[in-house]
Amino acid sequence: MKNLLIITLSLISLFANAQKLDKGLLWKISGNGLSSPSYLYGTMHIVCDNTLDASTLKALDNTKQLYLEMDMDDPSIPMKMMSGMVMKDGKTMTSMSSPEDLKVVDEYLVKNTGMGVKMMDKFKPSMAGMMVMPKMVDCPIKSVEEALMKVTKEQNEETYGLETLDEQMAVFDAISYEEQMKELIKSAKEGTEKGRAMFKKMLDLYNAKDLNALMDFMNDEENKFYGDNTDVLLDQRNANWISKIEEAAKKTPTFFGVGAAHLGGENGVIALLRKKGYKVEAVK
């Protein structure tokens, strides 16, 4: 269940509009009345190595609390996640696809998850697709969030969330189930090899701390599903976070860790904070 949560975060956080930014994942937030700086960090929810560098560890030392997209320590998450995976209004994957396409999807899911359409028929198609994600990497799944939470716990500090699991799961109700099903069928027909190659390239760009290249890559025509739904996947969520980021940073120095793609673009967290009058600069 914890891996599925990490994979869910991955899907809804890796896509953004392009805006030129300095290279870097760690950004200092200052000015506009803040007594002490806070920090903004671009995470990746699925990685092979989640080792934090010295600058990031220093920023964690200089802050007093951690905010992630969601409080991943919330004990109610497993139950809520199971209910959030099911489509509303009695819809099924079977009802939204031809027998031929359904057969391709079934074989794809069985091969990569051990479960077929019969067991997942009521799942939101995007959720079913996420369960294939472990096959896209050649290593045990780790996440940057786990590393941040580990340090925070060692410092006897608290972890909070900018949004709830219910709010995150609502993203998959805002995007039509039919559109999600078309994307799942597309992925099934392409197979995992293409997905593995794309994920490797994306991970390389992240490790290079090149947010511009990462965003350009994710806006490629092959990722049309995500580009068409940027408003739901990113923009609305970013806008909702700003007041919470401001409130937390004004009270105490805070380390904010969100998916790297949330940082850039005219509707990204960096631009929105700058519009509010804050100085947001990459930590070299």
Side-chain angles (χ1 to χ4, degrees), residues 29-68:
I29 307 169
S30 61
N32 200 22
L34 294 184
S35 57
S36 299
S38 287
Y39 291 87
L40 176 65
Y41 189 75
T43 68
M44 190 161 178
H45 310 306
I46 299 178
V47 294
C48 293
D49 181 5
N50 61 359
T51 304
L52 302 175
D53 64 23
S55 295
T56 304
L57 292 172
K58 183 177 180 181
L60 285 165
D61 283 339
N62 291 336
T63 49
K64 302 299 182 183
Q65 60 185 4
L66 171 66
Y67 266 77
L68 301 175

Side-chain angles (χ1 to χ4, degrees), residues 13-27:
S13 296
L14 289 175
F15 311 96
N17 296 320
Q19 175 182 337
K20 296 303 179 184
L21 296 171
D22 293 336
K23 275 194 175 183
L25 300 175
L26 181 64
W27 297 73

